Amino acid sequence: MWTARRRRRLRLATFPQSWKEVLVRSCPLYSELPQADRAELEGHIQVFLAEKRFEGCGGATVTDEVRLVIAAQACLLLLHRASNCYPAVRSVVLYPSSFLVPSQRHLGSGITEEGSQVAAGEAWREGVVVLAVDAACGGRALLEQGYNVVLHEFAHELDYEDGWLNGVPALAEGQPRRLREERHASWARVMSGELERLREAVQNGEPTALDAYGATNAPEFFAVCTESFFGRPNQLHRACPELYRELSRYYRQDPRQWRSPTAEEHTERATSPGADGA
């Protein structure tokens, strides 16, 4: 009860004008939101900033602007839904740019090769999200390529909320059992089908509306879909309408209503096989 009252005060507090100016300049999705959604987002941001600890590693400087831009992107996923503001997340750890993470490669016959790989983000079950500042604050150019590391990693945190990282976030929470079962059945049918379709396209070298990394497994597919849902909604809806509808039902948003298709069309032309430099 105390937490609910404190969060209510935070959401009702005046959102500083200087913060709005930062978001207009550095967070393109903020400017495109309808006014009511923007006001709701501002409330979530104030709770997020009050409750999550930001830490710098590898020489990263944690500025108020960086904290604000990351919080705004993370909280976009909470709009229109009953939210406990990522209850498991305690810390956001920042590196200046890409960092090395341990990796394993299965060679067969029970043999595993350990190594490392470059990453721009990680989400840990233990309540830590790790981000590269340059990728997290990359602005419109990365977003319109369907890439947003903050949306990606916080989608993983939503996936973790039911206790499992399996590409299935908590669906129809608080609803009657029959409705929950229907939602899970629909989600499983559409998401598994689209994951297989992506894998086939990647294997055959065909162009896709989703980043090829989504073919890795179900959790990565959900996170990659989230990036495209907010970053390139018009393109995703044209290519995968059922997938788009599932994401829209879960996030309770339709970014096509507020994302301009102009930039998406420009990006598609620039990256199509017939474009100059392709």
Side-chain angles (χ1 to χ4, degrees), residues 60-189:
T61 301
V62 182
T63 66
D64 288 343
E65 179 166 337
V66 166
R67 293 171 69 247
L68 181 59
V69 170
I70 290 173
Q73 295 172 86
C75 291
L76 182 68
L77 305 186
L78 306 180
L79 291 179
H80 306 166
R81 301 190 298 118
S83 165
N84 204 16
C85 195
Y86 301 108
V89 176
R90 303 184 311 276
S91 299
V92 179
V93 176
L94 302 177
Y95 283 86
S97 57
S98 300
F99 48 89
L100 292 176
V101 298
S103 65
Q104 290 186 339
R105 188 162 66 97
H106 298 285
L107 304 178
S109 301
I111 301 173
T112 300
E113 179 182 69
E114 295 189 352
S116 60
Q117 64 182 23
V118 177
E122 272 197 314
W124 299 356
R125 187 186 299 272
E126 296 79 7
V128 177
V129 175
V130 188
L131 298 168
V133 172
D134 57 356
C137 301
R140 185 177 298 275
L142 291 178
L143 180 69
E144 288 166 355
Q145 296 170 32
Y147 176 79
N148 185 293
V149 70
V150 180
L151 298 182
H152 186 107
E153 301 307 334
F154 278 91
H156 282 321
E157 290 296 338
L158 293 176
D159 194 352
Y160 272 131
E161 284 187 0
D162 62 357
W164 303 94
L165 186 68
N166 57 4
V168 185
L171 301 171
E173 288 297 288
Q175 299 298 316
R177 179 178 177 181
R178 180 182 59 81
L179 180 58
R180 293 199 307 272
E181 290 175 348
E182 289 175 357
R183 287 288 291 113
H184 277 272
S186 177
W187 182 275
R189 177 183 62 82

Side-chain angles (χ1 to χ4, degrees), residues 177-244:
R177 179 178 177 181
R178 180 182 59 81
L179 180 58
R180 293 199 307 272
E181 290 175 348
E182 289 175 357
R183 287 288 291 113
H184 277 272
S186 177
W187 182 275
R189 177 183 62 82
V190 172
M191 299 299 276
S192 61
E194 291 292 347
L195 173 55
E196 288 308 310
R197 191 156 73 98
L198 177 62
R199 285 173 170 165
E200 290 178 8
V202 170
Q203 185 175 3
N204 295 331
E206 300 169 357
T208 64
L210 295 164
D211 190 280
Y213 187 61
T216 305
N217 54 41
E220 296 301 345
F221 182 70
F222 170 55
V224 164
C225 286
T226 296
E227 294 178 84
S228 287
F229 178 71
F230 288 101
R232 297 193 295 189
N234 296 284
Q235 182 181 355
L236 182 63
H237 182 264
R238 288 196 303 271
C240 314
E242 277 197 298
L243 171 61
Y244 187 92

